[in-house]
Amino acid sequence: MHATVPPRLPDAPLPATLTTGWPGHVTLLRRQARLLMDRGDHRAARPIWESLRRSLPRDTEARHCLAQIRSLLQREDQATRRSADVPPHELPWDAAPPTRMPMPAGSMPAGSMPSGSMAVGSMAAGSMPSEPVRAAFTSAELVPARSATLHAPSARSSSAARSSSRDLTVAPAEVPQRLDDTLLDVHAAARAQDHSALLVALEAARATLPTEEARDLVALHGPPLLTWLGRLEHSDIAMREDLERRAAQLFARHDRLMLRLFRQIAEDGRVDAVIALLAELTSRPPPAPGDPATALRLVSLLLPGYAEEAQGAALAALLLGNGGRHREAVDWWRKALCREAGTANRRGLLAALRAAGDDHALAREIGSWLADDATPAARAGGERSAVIAGVRHLVQRAQQTGDASALEAIELYLADQPPGPLASWIAASCALARNDGRAALSHLDAALRCSGGTACPPLDLHAERALVLMRDHLYGEALEAFALADPASNDGLYARRREHLQAIARFCKSAPHPLRYPECLVDVIMTEVAARPVRYRPRRGHVVMVAGSLGQGGGERQTQTMVRRLLGEPRIARLTLLIRSVHLKPGDDFFYDSVKALPVAHHVYGRDWARPSTIATVLPELANRPRLARAVALLPHNMREEIIRLCRALWDHRPQAVHIWQDMHAAALACHIAGVPRFFIHRGSLSPDYWAQNGHQTATHFRPMRHCYRRLLERPDFVILNNSQAGCHTDQEWLGWPDASRFGVIYNAVDFAALGPEQGRNVALRETLGIADPAAPVIGGAFRLQPVKRPLWWAEAARLILQAAPDAHFLIIGDGDMTETVAAFATEHGFGHRLHLPGRVANVGDWYRAMDIKLLTSEREGIPNAIIEAQHFGVPVVATDVGGVAEAIAHAESGFAIKAQSPADYADAVIRILRDPAWQARARLQAPAHVHAMFSLDTVVDQLCGFYGLSRTCRSDADTGSRRDNA
C-alpha cells in the first residue's frame, strides 16, 4: 500500500550566515526545544521544532526531531485507543497530524473525508495501519543501544525518492541505516559534549551525508569544536596539531570557521603550525621563517576573501607581528576592529602598538577607549585587562626613558571621566610614571572609596597600593597593604611581588619596624662580615680604581687624568681600572679609547648587566656563608650585580687599596664584603640632598646610599673625599656624622702639560667658524647640554648679551639631550648664525683659545674641570656660585662666581667684563697662576698615595707589571 503525504517543501538556498554559525534567536529556540525533549515534553517541543523547520528548511536536527516526535505521539495515541477504545473523532486536538493514504474507491461515506485518502490515526475499530506505514514511523525510533539520556533523533535521508505526484511511497529499505547511524553519532556526541567523538562523527557525516546537509552539521557543531580545541592542554602538542589538521580539513568551504581556527592557533603562539597547515592545504612549500608576506599569499590562495573578514584581518596582523612587521600589524588590527569591535581585536591592537613601540598611539587608543559612552567598569573583562596591560607598559616605558609625555593623551580623557575604581587606578598609574608615589597612593585611596571595598577585577586595589609602596622600597607599609588584598588573586604580578616581599620579611625578621628595603639587607651583611670577616690577602702596592663609566663629564675626565699620571708613580706596583659601563648609555665611552691606549689593566665588568649573576657560580668563596650569600641575592638588581661582579674582580686582583669614583655605594659595600683593607669614596659634587631629586629617587637610591655610608663609617679606616670644601661640608651634614675627620678634600688634579701651553688667541679656528672680525668677542662654554647645566639659561643670557654687544659670537663644546633645543632657541630669537655647536671635540685647548670669556650656568656643581682648564688658557670665568666653584676662581681677579637668580644676572656680569678691556688683560695673567697653584697634579698624587697606604716605592713587588685585560 502506498502512503500519501503532503509535498515536501522545496530546498531553499542556504543563507550565508549558515556557513559560519546560527543567529542568536535560533540558538535559544533550539536550546529550549532540546530541554523540553530531555524532560519528555514532546508535545511542547513540537511547535518549536516546526518553527525552526519552517525557518531553516534543511535543518537536519529539526527534521529528525519532528520525525521522532510524530513516531512517539503516534504510538501513544494507538496505545490510548487500544486501552480505552476512544472513537477517532474524540482524539486530542494536539494529536499528530494525519498522514494521508490512498483508499479503495467507495470504502468511505461520501463527504466524511477527502476522496482517496484517510487519516492514519482514524481507523475503523479493530483495524490496524499497514506494515509499510508503521515502518515509516517506527524507522525513526532510537536504537536501544544509544545513550538513554539523549534524545538524539534518527532520520530519513534527505535524498529519499519523491514521486512526481502528491503521493510518496515509503518503504523500510529506502531509509539507509548508515545515514541514521551517522546522524545519531553526531547528535549523541554533541549532547554528551564528547568533542573528540564529535570530530570523528562529523568526519563520517562529511563522507556519508549529502553535501549540503554535511555542511549544515559542520556549521552547527564547528564553533563548539573550535572552543574545545582552544582549551586543550599543551602536554601533547603532536596530538593537538593532528586534531587541528583534521579540523582544518573538516572546515573546507567554511571560510570563517577556517579563519577562526587559524587565528586561534596563532594567538596561542604557534604561528609556525598555522603556516604548516596553510602549506599543506594549498599544496605549496612552506615559506621561510619570518616571512609573513609569503604566508599571507598562502592565506589568499586558500581563502581569497580573508581581508574582508574580521578574523582574516586579525590573522594577517598576527602573521605580520610574528615576522616583526609590527606597524603593518597595527593597521590590520585596526581593520579587524572596524569589522568586529570585539575584545580580542582590541587586545590585539593594544599588544601590536606596544610591540611597535608607538607609545603615543597606544595612549591615544586607550584614551579613546575611555572616551566611549560606556563607563570603563562596564566594559568586558578582556578589554579592561588589555587596557590595564597597555597602561602598565606606558608606565614602565616612562620610568625607563624619563619621558611621560605619551600619557598626556590618557590624562586628557581622564579629566572627563566620572569617578570610578578603574579611572582612579589609571590616574594613579600616570602619577607613578612621573615618579610621584604620593599622588599615586592618593588616587588608589580614591579608587578604594569608589569601590566600597569590593573587588574591581582584574585589579586588586589593595595589592596595587602594595606595589606602589614596594616600588619606593617601603616594604613595611607594603606588607600591611598585601594583608588586606585578596589572597586568592591569581594575578601573576601580585603573586610574585607578594612572595618576594614575604621572603624579605622572613629573612630580616629582626629588622627595625617599619621594614625598609634594602637597608634591612645591608644591616644583615654588615653583621655577618663583622662576625666573621672573609679572608683576604692583599698584594702590596696594587691599587684598583672603580668608575661608573668613561662618559663625557668632569669626574670621568678626572679619572682619565689620574690613571695617566699614576701609571708613572713609583709607589704603585700595579694599577687596574674597573669600569661598570662603556655601553649602557650613549656617550658612556667618551674617554674609553684614550684609556685603552694607555698601558693600564682595565676590565669592563658591567657587560650583560640585565643578566642576573648566580652567586654559587661566581662567588664560590661564599659557599660556607649561606646567610651572607642570601642577603646579597635578595638585594635590588643593580646593587646585587655590582657587589657580585666587583667581589669577583677584587678577589682576582687582590688590591691593597680601592679608589671609588663618585657615589658608588654598592661598590664600597663590595669592598667591605671582600675584605679590602683600604677603600674610600671620592665624590665630586654637593651632597645628594642638594640635587633636584624626586621621591622615588630618594627612596630607591639616595636613602639606601646614605644608610650604606653611615654603616661603612663605622669602620675606622673608611673616609669620604670630596673635590671641594663646600662639598665636604654638605656630605657631613647629609650623613649626620659627628666626626669631621672622616671627610676630606682633594682638589681635582689637572694635567696642564697635556692641555698644552697658552699660545694666544686661536685666530685660525675662529675663522673656520666664520668669525672674521678679530675684535668680535666670543663667549664660550664647555659642558654637557643636560638640564642640570641649564643650557637654556645660557642661551637666554647670550640673547641678552647680544643686545649690548651685537658683534658677539657664542660657542659651546659638548653635546647632550638639549642640543637641538638650544639650537632651536637661538634660531627662533635670530642669532642661530652666531651660535656655534661643534659637539664633542678632542683637543679642548684649541677651542678654549678661541674664547674670550667662559660662561657656566649650572644649577649644581662640585669643582668643574672646565673652569680650571679655561683659566689655564687665560680665559676669565663667569659661573654659578654653587658647590666648589668659588674655590676654583680668584674672585674679581680671574672671574666671578655669582649667585644668579635669572639669565640676566649672567649677562650683566659678562657685559661688565666686555666693557673693561684692562681687567680682561689682568685676568689673562692672573687666571693661569691661580689654577696652577691650587690644582697641581703632583700635590694630588701625594695626597692620594697617603689614602692608598703607600709611603715608599713598591715596584719591587714580585707581582708588578702592567697588563691589558679587555675581558
Side-chain angles (χ1 to χ4, degrees), residues 36 59 76 78 89 194 275 313 366 374 424 427 442 486 497 525 543 552 556 606 641 764 770 779 855-856 891 964:
L36 290 169
D59 184 42
E76 289 177 6
Q78 288 175 354
H89 63 276
D194 185 351
I275 294 174
I366 294 173
S424 296
S442 176
D486 181 7
R497 297 296 176 83
I525 290 171
V543 174
Q552 181 186 8
E556 292 80 0
E641 290 304 307
I779 291 83
L855 175 62
L856 184 66
H891 185 67
R964 190 183 305 274

Side-chain angles (χ1 to χ4, degrees), residues 249-262:
Q249 294 168 350
L250 184 66
F251 293 158
R253 299 178 62 193
H254 292 267
D255 291 1
R256 292 183 183 174
L257 286 176
M258 187 81 79
L259 286 170
R260 184 176 162 189
L261 172 65
F262 289 154

Side-chain angles (χ1 to χ4, degrees), residues 519-823:
E519 291 93 320
C520 58
L521 297 172
V522 172
D523 290 341
V524 171
I525 290 171
M526 296 298 294
T527 302
E528 285 291 307
V529 173
R532 186 153 59 107
V534 178
R535 294 182 62 185
Y536 185 85
R537 294 174 55 198
R539 289 171 173 161
R540 176 71 178 166
H542 285 223
V543 174
V544 163
M545 282 189 175
V546 180
S549 75
L550 291 177
Q552 181 186 8
E556 292 80 0
R557 180 184 295 277
Q558 187 67 193
T559 302
Q560 179 215 32
T561 299
M562 292 311 305
V563 167
R564 187 187 303 275
R565 172 61 180 81
L566 290 175
L567 283 173
E569 173 54 46
R571 287 169 285 186
I572 295 180
R574 182 181 180 85
L575 179 66
T576 302
L577 178 61
L578 302 179
I579 315 160
R580 178 170 58 199
S581 166
V582 294
H583 62 287
L584 291 179
K585 295 183 296 184
D588 273 359
D589 60 346
F590 183 76
F591 291 109
Y592 188 46
D593 287 340
S594 60
V595 167
K596 287 194 295 184
L598 299 174
V600 60
H602 63 277
H603 171 60
V604 179
Y605 65 87
R607 300 193 188 278
D608 297 323
W609 190 254
R611 176 182 55 82
S613 302
T614 305
I615 293 182
T617 304
V618 181
L619 302 179
E621 292 86 349
L622 298 183
N624 62 343
R625 305 293 301 274
R627 184 165 174 78
L628 177 58
R630 178 64 172 160
V632 173
L634 289 173
L635 288 168
H637 177 82
N638 286 344
M639 282 189 73
R640 180 180 65 248
E641 290 304 307
E642 191 94 58
I643 289 173
I644 294 174
R645 299 180 187 213
L646 272 180
C647 279
R648 179 72 274 144
L650 293 173
W651 281 330
D652 288 344
H653 292 284
R654 291 190 285 120
Q656 172 182 334
V658 176
H659 183 165
I660 304 170
W661 291 96
Q662 305 302 339
D663 283 309
M664 299 180 67
H665 58 286
L669 196 57
C671 292
H672 180 67
I673 294 171
V676 178
R678 289 177 175 268
F679 59 93
F680 56 89
I681 294 289
H682 194 165
R683 305 187 66 252
S685 67
L686 299 180
S687 57
D689 53 330
Y690 280 82
W691 302 0
Q693 54 186 278
N694 56 48
H696 177 68
Q697 291 170 326
T698 298
T700 60
H701 185 66
F702 297 114
R703 194 189 73 208
M705 179 195 299
R706 182 177 185 273
H707 187 76
C708 275
Y709 287 164
R710 284 182 58 86
R711 292 304 311 264
L712 290 169
L713 282 168
E714 296 172 6
R715 291 175 54 116
D717 53 355
F718 179 70
V719 296
I720 297 178
L721 305 180
N722 205 301
N723 66 351
S724 70
Q725 290 287 352
C728 183
H729 179 68
T730 61
D731 287 345
Q732 184 182 358
E733 284 189 341
W734 176 59
L735 292 172
W737 199 259
D739 186 0
S741 66
R742 309 300 294 280
F743 304 88
V745 176
I746 293 186
Y747 286 120
N748 288 352
V750 179
D751 189 352
F752 297 114
L755 287 173
E758 208 294 301
Q759 298 174 344
R761 175 175 286 182
N762 193 337
V763 177
L765 179 58
R766 289 165 63 99
E767 290 178 351
T768 62
L769 296 175
I771 307 173
D773 184 0
V778 176
I779 291 83
F783 54 86
R784 290 173 291 113
L785 280 85
Q786 301 287 354
V788 69
K789 304 296 183 180
R790 297 196 293 204
L792 283 179
W793 276 36
W794 199 99
E796 172 62 12
R799 186 185 69 82
L800 296 174
I801 292 167
L802 268 176
Q803 296 175 2
D807 58 342
H809 283 256
F810 304 92
L811 168 65
I812 300 177
I813 55 176
D815 61 8
D817 297 338
M818 297 185 67
T819 302
E820 294 181 2
T821 305
V822 171

Side-chain angles (χ1 to χ4, degrees), residues 317-328:
L318 289 166
L319 292 173
L320 288 164
N322 183 70
R325 293 161 62 172
H326 299 296
R327 294 195 177 275
E328 294 175 68

